[in-house]
Amino acid sequence: MPRLMLTDATWNVLSKVMYLSGRIYNKPDHKKTFEGILYKMRTGIPWRDLPSDFGCWSAIYRRFNLWSKKGILNELFRVLSRDADMDWVFIDGSIVRAHQHSCGARTADNESIGKSRGGNSTKIHLAVDSGGLPVYYELSCGNTHDIVHAESLVANCSTSNVVVADKGYDSEKLRAFVRDNNATPVIPRKDNSLVGNEDIDWCMYKYRHLIENAFGRIKQYRGIATRYEKLERNYHSMLALAFVMMWLPMWAD
C-alpha cells in the first residue's frame, strides 16, 4: 500500500465538514478516494497511473472532478480557515510552470495559463494570516502583474489591521485602498522613489517570510509546484486541498 497522508483524527475532521455541507453522501470509500487525490497531488503523476490500492483511477478522477464542480474542497478550506488570526496579513504572488499537458483545454477561456518568456505558467495570488496560514487566494495567467490582484486580496481580508507586501506592490493607490479598509500598509517603495521609506515598519516587514514559507510548503506537492490540471477550477481545488493540509494540524489532535 502506498504511503498515506490521513490519520483517523484528520479524516474525522475532514469527513465531518464534507458531510455537513450537504453536497455529498456519507460513503465508506470516500477516505480511500481522498487518499488517492492526495497521492496524486503529492507525486504529480497522471491520473491513469494511480496505484490500484486506491481503487479505479477513473472513479477517483470523476469524484475529484465532481467535488471540484460542487466546491467541496474550497468549502473545506473556507471552514478550516475561519478562525484565522487576521491582525496581520501578508500578500504576495508566486509563479508555477504549467506542464504542456495542462494546455489546450476545450474552453473559450485561458484557464489562467499565460505565455511569458519562461513558457506557459500560472500565478498564485495568496494572502496569509499572522501565523503564516493561508486565508484567501486567486489564480491568474503567469504574466499578470501582482498589483492587479492586490486590492482583491486586501478586500477579502477586510478585518486585518496591517497589510504587508514587497516592493512589487509599490502603489500609492493600493496604500490608500488599504487605509480605506482601516489597515496600515507596510509596503516599501522602490529604490527610485522620491518619497523614501522612512515611514516603513521594518520590524513588521521582517515577518514577510511567513508568506514565502507558505509557498514553500505547498510547492512540496509536485502537483502544485507544476500545474498539470487543464481546468482552472480543478487546479484551484488542488490548491484548496494543499491549504487544507496546512490547516489540519490546527484542528486534529
Side-chain angles (χ1 to χ4, degrees):
M1 184 69 184
R3 183 162 53 96
L4 302 180
M5 298 178 66
L6 292 179
T7 64
D8 290 340
T10 54
W11 175 243
N12 287 337
V13 174
L14 290 174
S15 60
K16 185 178 297 185
V17 177
M18 291 171 68
Y19 301 146
L20 289 178
S21 71
R23 301 176 189 176
I24 62 173
Y25 297 105
N26 187 348
K27 295 183 178 180
D29 62 335
H30 277 170
K31 182 178 180 181
K32 187 179 293 187
T33 299
F34 210 99
E35 284 282 10
I37 297 171
L38 287 172
Y39 187 86
K40 150 69 175 173
M41 181 178 71
R42 181 177 61 198
T43 61
I45 61 174
W47 287 102
R48 291 176 180 270
D49 294 339
L50 275 175
S52 58
D53 304 79
F54 298 115
C56 178
W57 71 267
S58 61
I60 297 173
Y61 169 73
R62 287 196 304 271
R63 187 157 291 171
F64 166 74
N65 195 45
L66 178 62
W67 288 353
S68 179
K69 287 181 180 179
K70 292 183 175 182
I72 298 297
L73 300 176
N74 294 317
E75 179 68 10
L76 284 175
F77 171 56
R78 186 191 66 80
V79 172
L80 296 185
S81 63
R82 66 188 179 188
D83 293 330
D85 182 354
M86 300 295 288
D87 190 18
W88 308 340
V89 167
F90 304 85
I91 64 174
D92 202 358
S94 183
I95 294 176
V96 295
R97 290 292 299 274
H99 193 271
Q100 59 183 355
H101 292 165
S102 68
C103 303
R106 297 178 182 178
T107 63
D109 300 328
N110 58 28
E111 297 299 332
S112 291
I113 297 178
K115 187 175 290 293
S116 59
R117 185 178 300 176
N120 294 319
S121 58
T122 294
K123 181 172 282 189
I124 306 170
H125 303 270
L126 176 64
V128 302
D129 69 357
S130 305
L133 292 170
V135 291
Y136 182 74
Y137 68 103
E138 295 179 352
L139 294 178
S140 73
C141 298
N143 53 1
T144 302
H145 197 282
D146 290 345
I147 200 70
V148 175
H149 288 256
E151 291 189 4
S152 179
L153 293 177
V154 173
N156 282 277
C157 302
S158 57
T159 59
S160 62
N161 294 319
V162 179
V163 174
V164 184
D166 62 17
K167 293 181 180 180
Y169 293 88
D170 180 13
S171 166
E172 292 305 323
K173 180 182 177 183
L174 175 59
R175 292 187 182 91
F177 184 83
V178 172
R179 295 187 184 99
D180 290 342
N181 280 268
N182 301 315
T184 302
V186 180
I187 307 173
R189 298 173 182 85
K190 296 178 181 177
D191 295 338
N192 59 357
S193 172
L194 298 177
V195 179
N197 288 314
E198 289 75 11
D199 59 333
I200 299 299
D201 185 348
W202 292 110
C203 182
M204 174 64 67
Y205 187 75
K206 288 181 179 179
Y207 289 98
R208 203 187 66 82
H209 69 86
L210 291 171
I211 192 165
E212 302 293 351
N213 295 347
F215 281 124
R217 288 185 65 181
I218 63 172
K219 287 186 177 181
Q220 292 179 7
Y221 301 113
R222 295 183 179 182
I224 299 298
T226 301
R227 174 175 169 176
Y228 297 100
E229 305 297 332
K230 288 183 180 291
L231 299 180
E232 176 186 2
R233 180 197 71 214
N234 285 354
Y235 186 64
H236 197 279
S237 293
M238 275 292 183
L239 273 171
L241 183 55
F243 294 143
V244 163
M245 297 305 292
M246 288 181 64
W247 272 102
L248 267 179
M250 304 296 169
W251 288 81
D253 296 330

